[in-house]
Amino acid sequence: MATGQKLMRAVRVFEFGGPEVLKLQSDIAVPIPKDHQVLIKVHACGVNPVETYIRSGTYSRKPLLPYTPGSDVAGVIEAVGDNASAFKKGDRVFTSSTISGGYAEYALAADHTVYKLPEKLDFKQGAAIGIPYFTAYRALIHSARVKAGESVLVHGASGGVGLAACQIARVYGLKVLGTAGTEEGQKIVLQNGAHEVFNHREVNYIDKIKKYVGEKGIDVIIEMLANVNLSKDLSLLSHGGRVIVVGSRGTIEINPRDTMAKESSIIGVTLFSSTKEEFQQYAAALQAGMEIGWLKPVIGSQYPLEKVAEAHENIIHGSGATGKMILLL
């Protein structure tokens, strides 16, 4: 190892598997930014369900081992590579992607995936923007092509993506319905843009939604757990309605006939399919949201880096999300 090389703490994954494969190490070399790259001193990093799928080896994208998970960091620019002149040391920033991994004291990122963090948002909130808000924006605007005046049901609205979807949908002029599984979750959904909230742990909650929306049905459903809800979603849709599948953790049986009379659609969405231009478009809209004040991430459970395995366990098997899960550095 080169003398004078700075070392940092970082979480490393050497084999795919359960949360126990997340290893905190303290002798990892701090990366050096190259052309069009910046090095960020990480203050907080968002934890997203997709990181647990990647870690378990079941996801379509498999990183080369060993690797450090995490894409959504917020912190301060520590060093700037060549041709990354949009940033200078000391700038407060957040990312939608990293090169070296976010569960670490320092993270390397390509300059086009780094954005200025306004003073009115703290680092925890900055770490809650990346995947949740960019995914919610892509789902609503790009995939569902929502129009003002339409209705949207955010199925699983109290987590990171769900609350982002509620805030975005409301500001775009939609009638916003949400579901949550706890009383606290329901309260937070109502505080973040939903006109009405339903408890998806109640046996008859689908009937309550049907009664609330009447004959017409719902134009757009943002679906976080399609393997449980997709069949019910199809029964709720309006004519020409669409279900946008943001998350699914298994298989489900549906009757394709349910899509025919209503000419409804099931559309999958993944943030990683976005082009560089689309990311810039989403970032412009979200940056405006921060400036105006409607983009306000809600922080949920917070963990130190030492408890990263517990965080991964809880984001999948916890009792229902309320706000965005964050690692603090």
Side-chain angles (χ1 to χ4, degrees):
M1 182 173 285
T3 50
Q5 174 85 57
K6 272 179 76 172
L7 299 178
M8 65 174 182
R9 296 189 314 145
V11 173
R12 304 290 281 162
V13 173
F14 293 90
E15 57 178 333
F16 296 115
E20 69 283 352
V21 302
L22 298 161
K23 307 290 186 198
L24 179 57
Q25 302 202 307
S26 52
D27 58 350
I28 305 298
V30 174
I32 293 162
K34 299 189 178 75
D35 204 35
H36 289 290
Q37 293 178 355
V38 297
L39 181 69
I40 299 161
K41 179 161 185 18
V42 179
H43 286 251
C45 181
V47 180
N48 295 288
V50 69
E51 287 139 30
T52 71
Y53 311 149
I54 295 169
R55 181 215 71 224
S56 67
T58 57
Y59 196 64
S60 51
R61 295 187 321 149
K62 280 195 181 68
L64 290 171
L65 297 167
Y67 77 98
T68 294
S71 60
D72 300 353
V73 306
V76 175
I77 298 279
E78 176 75 14
V80 177
D82 294 337
N83 301 309
S85 57
F87 299 99
K88 63 185 186 304
K89 188 176 159 74
D91 284 350
R92 298 171 84 249
V93 294
F94 70 95
T95 66
S96 56
S97 173
T98 67
I99 295 165
S100 61
Y103 296 6
E105 289 177 322
Y106 293 90
L108 200 59
D111 59 358
H112 66 90
T113 64
V114 180
Y115 315 91
K116 297 264 173 73
L117 182 65
E119 288 295 335
K120 61 171 81 163
L121 295 181
D122 64 26
F123 290 122
K124 288 187 258 192
Q125 290 175 305
I129 299 169
I131 285 180
Y133 280 86
F134 283 81
T135 299
Y137 191 90
R138 182 173 177 82
L140 285 162
I141 310 302
H142 168 97
S143 305
R145 298 193 168 93
V146 294
K147 296 184 200 69
E150 286 191 313
S151 57
V152 61
L153 170 67
V154 182
H155 215 155
S158 62
V161 181
L163 290 170
C166 289
Q167 291 176 0
I168 294 166
R170 183 66 182 254
V171 84
Y172 274 80
L174 284 102
K175 177 84 175 177
V176 186
L177 315 181
T179 77
T182 65
E183 208 171 309
E184 190 194 359
Q186 290 176 71
K187 203 167 81 185
I188 283 179
V189 170
L190 283 175
Q191 287 165 352
N192 284 279
H195 293 88
E196 192 63 57
V197 69
F198 301 87
N199 183 346
H200 53 225
R201 299 216 168 132
E202 285 179 11
V203 182
N204 63 339
Y205 83 98
I206 294 290
D207 297 329
K208 285 187 177 175
I209 296 174
K210 281 183 178 164
K211 195 174 164 195
Y212 182 83
V213 297
E215 281 298 287
K216 185 181 181 301
I218 295 167
D219 299 309
V220 174
I221 298 177
I222 304 294
E223 182 50 68
M224 309 301 168
L225 199 59
N227 56 299
V228 172
N229 299 323
L230 189 56
S231 183
K232 294 181 274 206
D233 290 341
L234 295 176
S235 74
L236 287 167
L237 287 177
S238 63
H239 189 91
R242 46 265 187 228
V243 179
I244 312 297
V245 178
V246 171
S248 186
R249 297 178 183 172
T251 58
I252 184 172
E253 188 171 308
I254 62 165
N255 184 348
R257 188 173 285 280
D258 293 343
T259 65
M260 291 163 62
K262 293 176 177 174
E263 299 192 316
S264 56
S265 329
I266 301 166
I267 303 168
V269 66
T270 177
L271 182 58
F272 303 121
S273 298
S274 312
T275 64
K276 202 166 156 179
E277 290 69 36
E278 284 168 343
F279 262 107
Q280 284 166 345
Q281 178 199 327
Y282 308 160
L286 297 173
Q287 207 82 45
M290 291 178 234
E291 288 161 15
I292 295 161
W294 61 255
L295 191 161
K296 270 216 175 94
V298 178
I299 304 307
S301 42
Q302 305 172 33
Y303 296 84
L305 216 46
E306 293 77 16
K307 295 206 168 152
V308 63
E310 198 181 313
H312 268 223
E313 181 65 34
N314 290 347
I315 199 165
I316 298 300
H317 300 295
S319 61
T322 307
K324 173 73 191 157
M325 185 182 284
I326 298 288
L327 291 174
L328 288 175
L329 284 99

